[in-house]
Amino acid sequence: MIKGIHSSYFNGGAYILTDNIGLIEDLGCAFTSLTGYSKSDLYRKNISDIAGMLFGSDFHMNDLENNTTVDLFLISKSWEAIEVSVSMYQLGDTNQTLYFFKQKPNFILNSEQSFVEKLIEDNNMGIGLYSCPDYRLLQANQKYLDYLQDTYNEENFLGRCLASFIPDFKGSDQQSLLLEIARTGGSICNKEIKITSYNGEDQYWNHSLTPITEDDQIRYIVIMLTDVTEIVMKGKCAEEKYEQLKQKNEIKDELLLLISHELKTPLSIITSCIQTMEIVCKNELSDKVRKYINKIRQSAYRQMKLVNNILDNTRMSSGHFCVNRSHVDLVQLSKTIIESILIFAERKGIEISFSSTIKRAVFETDVELYERILLNLLSNAVKFTPEGKSIDVKISQTSIKGKKKYCIQVKDSGIGIPSDKKELIFERFGRVDKSLDRYTEGTGIGLYLVKMLVSLMEGDIKLESKEGVGSTFSLLFPVPPSKQSLKEPLVIETPNEQLLTASLIEFSDIYYGT
């Protein structure tokens, strides 16, 4: 028996005895049972090296003081984390040092039903359990250890503190994150964290950090990792393909703009030449020549309509569409637009009626764009309404979800649209029936463009239709504040030359024979 130390310490106790230079002379049976290390594993080894094996390379036995006891986490030979209290005694007569170990009960680490044990074993994520506040890795599954090895190119992480293998850990983002958890007690989840492994390979992980408390004190932090590299890389690949497609579309739009501009110039010249012929050679043109001139004009206007739609559609897609707003009375402007196309309805034997439940509807809009929108709806109504039927245009004020709206309705008595095709007609190049004859043919750009223009004017377009009965298109625009409604609107009482030309172009694809 050593003086000052009870004999029970040596009677199978969990102890290590070192000589005056720190070499291990003896260890108790309970120590070997606790740690899994045999006497032959440790005999005549330096206690500092053994401390690194037991408590991590960042722990030093010199930190212990004589006749003191500290609580530590010990990593056994089988890599099991065990919480112990360690006492150190200097034996003055012999210059020996006695280290006594006593296991502490710990439900989190050592219970057979340990939550952490089950979490690590039953999960395909990377799981690591750290002590707090020293952030020492106590338990981890293989996936988590593989992550550490790939990231830091080291081995044997169990029992080590984060500061021992994360470069510049002090003051780093990792430390700030852990301190934040310790301060708030809340969990933190970071998504798609990019990690570059030691071999230069980029990996992406979702990190989830959750504190575990005992006696109202945070003692552990569980870190859970999910490898999302494949998902992120697929996303990046999709983004690259999208950017490539976007560039191709931009090139295509530029080409369409160029071609459309090049087409518009000769078309303008053709129509100008026709007008000149009709003025200069007015008395020299026979009926047969006039017939062919009208066909040339109609064909030129048809191409002009297509070119204008392509230009506007391309400008809108590229974000270069200009809106010139002015205050107008939608009631008076709509009536004027209808007057400009009455001749086309009369040729087909269709009656167009106009009514309004409000005297005036002042709205800030682009006059030319509004004309194009209403002309398109009217041309479609005339195109699809049989001879002898009617088209009704009505303006009213309504309320939708508590917001006042101006409503311009164009109701025809045409063929109607099947319920499963209603959304199709607003799509780019969308056509309900590709088998339509030349009396009702079109490009499929018009209504798509109408919807875009209405949206650009902060409005909305709705469709109600019944096959074989007819369709009703409703334009909805927000009623402006009362101060704006009092402003004097721009007056367009009769169809001007610009509106008449726009009407001719819009109705140019409707045939009436020769």
Side-chain angles (χ1 to χ4, degrees), residues 303-479:
Q303 295 306 307
M304 187 76 76
K305 177 181 178 180
L306 176 60
V307 168
N308 286 340
N309 284 345
I310 292 175
L311 280 171
D312 289 343
N313 178 67
T314 306
R315 289 193 190 105
M316 195 168 296
S317 298
S318 60
H320 296 138
F321 201 94
C322 296
V323 179
N324 301 311
R325 298 181 184 274
S326 58
H327 284 85
V328 295
D329 179 4
L330 294 180
V331 176
Q332 179 265 321
L333 179 58
S334 300
K335 184 178 180 181
T336 302
I337 294 171
I338 292 171
E339 289 175 359
S340 73
I341 59 96
L342 287 176
I343 185 172
F344 302 106
E346 290 172 359
R347 286 181 184 177
K348 196 175 178 182
I350 296 172
E351 181 182 353
I352 297 182
S353 65
F354 174 77
S355 63
S356 177
T357 60
I358 51 178
K359 290 184 178 181
R360 196 167 83 157
V362 178
F363 183 65
E364 188 179 37
T365 187
D366 188 308
V367 174
E368 184 178 346
L369 297 188
Y370 181 77
E371 289 174 352
R372 291 193 62 186
I373 291 169
L374 192 54
L375 283 173
N376 182 277
L377 296 180
L378 290 169
S379 68
N380 283 336
V382 171
K383 185 186 300 183
F384 294 105
T385 298
E387 182 180 351
K389 295 295 182 79
S390 63
I391 297 171
D392 299 319
V393 181
K394 181 180 179 181
I395 297 180
S396 61
Q397 183 173 308
T398 185
S399 181
I400 300 176
K401 295 181 179 180
K403 295 183 179 180
K404 294 180 180 179
K405 304 277 186 178
Y406 289 135
C407 178
I408 301 95
Q409 287 185 327
V410 178
K411 182 179 181 180
D412 64 48
S413 306
I415 60 176
I417 301 168
S419 58
D420 60 337
K421 303 290 186 180
K422 288 181 180 179
E423 293 300 321
L424 175 64
I425 65 171
F426 290 111
E427 294 180 5
R428 198 176 186 182
F429 304 112
R431 294 170 64 183
V432 174
D433 188 353
K434 296 182 180 178
S435 65
L436 294 172
D437 60 26
R438 70 189 186 96
Y439 291 92
T440 53
E441 65 184 353
T443 60
I445 301 176
L447 284 174
Y448 169 80
L449 185 59
V450 164
K451 186 174 182 179
M452 295 299 101
L453 292 175
V454 170
S455 177
L456 198 65
M457 295 162 60
E458 300 174 359
D460 198 7
I461 183 168
K462 302 292 184 182
L463 168 64
E464 294 178 8
S465 184
K466 188 174 181 180
E467 195 171 4
V469 177
S471 303
T472 301
F473 287 87
S474 300
L475 299 173
L476 298 165
F477 297 106
V479 175

Side-chain angles (χ1 to χ4, degrees), residues 183-198:
R183 184 181 67 83
T184 64
S187 299
I188 293 178
C189 183
N190 291 326
K191 294 186 176 181
E192 298 181 5
I193 303 299
K194 181 180 178 180
I195 301 295
T196 302
S197 65
Y198 69 92

